[in-house]
């Protein structure tokens, strides 16, 4: 489990500080509470391109994938920036 979480944290390291400050605390504080389905959705979210992620998290663009959009909202709700 710890090795898996270490890999996940590595995947959370992005080229944009704005994304790092969302993903890293979320993994530390909320990831373990997610359902298996939500964990898979989070991993799918991490595979998205940084410009898309930035646009979704900053509210510049709506994610058209419903599960990913729900994960974005959950992260924004859980992480106080």
């Amino acid at each position: 489990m710890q090795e898996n979480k270490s890999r996940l944290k590595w995947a959370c390291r992005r080229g944009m500080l704005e994304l790092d400050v969302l993903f890293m605390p979320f993994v530390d504080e909320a990831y373990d509470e997610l359902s298996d389905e939500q964990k898979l959705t989070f991993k799918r979210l991490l595979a998205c391109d940084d410009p898309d992620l930035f646009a979704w998290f900053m509210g510049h663009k709506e994610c058209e994938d419903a599960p990913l959009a729900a994960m974005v909202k959950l992260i924004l709700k859980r992480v106080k920036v």
Side-chain angles (χ1 to χ4, degrees):
M1 176 68 174
Q2 187 59 33
E3 178 184 326
N4 211 8
K5 200 158 182 187
S6 295
R7 285 185 185 184
L8 192 60
K9 283 181 153 185
W10 180 255
C12 287
R13 296 179 60 152
R14 313 302 287 200
M16 301 177 122
L17 178 62
E18 296 88 347
L19 297 175
D20 289 349
V21 299
L22 290 167
F23 288 141
M24 298 303 279
F26 183 78
V27 169
D28 286 335
E29 299 164 14
Y31 182 78
D32 291 337
E33 301 169 15
L34 298 178
S35 69
D36 288 344
E37 185 177 340
Q38 287 174 312
K39 287 178 181 179
L40 289 174
T41 300
F42 182 72
K43 289 175 185 172
R44 253 189 344 113
L45 186 70
L46 292 178
C48 296
D49 293 331
D50 284 359
D52 288 331
L53 292 169
F54 182 79
W56 298 336
F57 280 103
M58 298 303 133
H60 298 216
K61 190 167 86 173
E62 187 75 27
C63 177
E64 295 180 12
D65 182 303
L68 291 181
M71 183 56 61
V72 167
K73 287 178 184 167
L74 177 64
I75 292 169
L76 288 171
K77 181 178 162 187
R78 291 294 304 260
V79 177
K80 309 292 186 268
V81 182

